[in-house]
Amino acid sequence: MRYPEGVLALCLLAWSAPGAAHEAPHAGAKHPSAKAANVPRESRQPALPARKDGLWEVLVRSDDLVLKRAGRASPQPVTVRQCTSAASEPVMLMSIVPGQEDCHERKVRRRGKGAEAGHDISTVCYVHDNRVDTQMQLLGDLQSAYHGSFQAKFPKTPLHNTGRMVFEGRWLGACAAGQRPGDMLLPNGVTVNVVDDHQRAQNADHSGHKH
């Protein structure tokens, strides 16, 4: 199964650890299948909150305190720019989180009021046959700015666990000339379209694996 280059590149830059996507699938391993296979999985999941259309700059950094307690070095902060739209946002919003390509469970719950209003999001996804459990807290109006945190856990390969990561996003305006929804500009200057990569990963999964 091929996973989005943009997501893998971001993970490598942000967490300086090999992605679980490079591990060989375990023959015979199984994980839950979604019913009604002819219906796109995204359409069967609870809707994610959506940011305003346009260009967003997102900073992702580690929670230094948690990493220091675990005796791990802190990776450098990573800043990406994302061109998004209503159609691409279900993929774009979660693209800063590792292992979100083959997801079978999602829960979205509103939280707080006023300045603390936001959403709690949890997902259960798979990188090959490695389960990834993610918890995200998303705060802000998603119109001009937002912030939050996430933690991704790989139960079978705990060395890939991110620890608590925090992020901040701000709206820059309309997407630049030549950009299209799904484009993400990485810190190394490379632009990838995570929506296209996500679709290729889904197609490869459906053609090459039985869930």
Side-chain angles (χ1 to χ4, degrees):
M1 180 175 181
R2 183 179 183 275
Y3 287 88
E5 295 173 359
V7 176
L8 292 178
L10 178 57
C11 291
L12 288 172
L13 287 164
W15 301 291
S16 302
H22 294 295
E23 298 181 8
H26 182 271
K30 297 180 180 180
H31 53 75
S33 61
K35 296 180 180 179
N38 59 321
V39 180
R41 187 174 295 138
E42 283 294 332
S43 67
R44 300 193 298 269
Q45 303 284 4
L48 288 167
R51 297 172 296 180
K52 182 178 181 179
D53 290 4
L55 187 63
W56 286 86
E57 182 176 80
V58 185
L59 170 69
V60 183
R61 60 181 176 81
S62 65
D63 184 318
D64 293 334
L65 180 59
V66 171
L67 288 175
K68 287 179 180 178
R69 285 176 177 171
R72 295 168 58 185
S74 300
Q76 294 297 311
V78 172
T79 300
V80 297
R81 289 191 174 187
Q82 301 176 322
C83 173
T84 194
S85 66
S88 64
E89 184 64 358
V91 175
M92 292 297 286
L93 180 67
M94 300 295 290
S95 63
I96 61 172
V97 182
Q100 300 299 297
E101 290 75 49
D102 184 16
C103 298
H104 295 258
E105 297 178 32
R106 178 196 295 159
K107 296 180 181 179
V108 180
R109 181 176 66 87
R110 290 186 178 274
R111 55 171 291 156
K113 295 181 179 180
E116 293 301 313
H119 298 79
D120 289 325
I121 302 169
S122 64
T123 63
V124 176
C125 308
Y126 290 84
V127 178
H128 293 313
D129 294 310
N130 291 286
R131 176 171 169 147
V132 186
D133 295 295
T134 298
Q135 300 289 331
M136 174 185 277
Q137 294 181 335
L138 183 65
L139 304 173
D141 63 8
L142 303 183
Q143 299 299 300
S144 59
Y146 66 97
H147 65 282
S149 64
F150 69 82
Q151 188 165 358
K153 295 182 178 180
F154 294 74
K156 288 186 178 181
T157 54
L159 288 177
H160 296 133
N161 292 350
T162 63
R164 184 173 181 267
M165 308 297 293
V166 296
F167 56 84
E168 302 170 10
R170 64 188 183 102
W171 190 70
L172 301 180
C175 294
Q179 285 185 317
R180 62 191 182 96
D183 280 354
M184 179 160 68
L185 177 64
L186 300 173
N188 61 1
V190 173
T191 295
V192 295
N193 190 282
V194 298
V195 174
D196 289 350
D197 286 343
H198 181 88
Q199 187 59 56
R200 282 194 290 267
Q202 291 292 310
N203 292 341
D205 177 56
H206 294 157
S207 64
H209 293 265
K210 294 181 180 180
H211 298 313

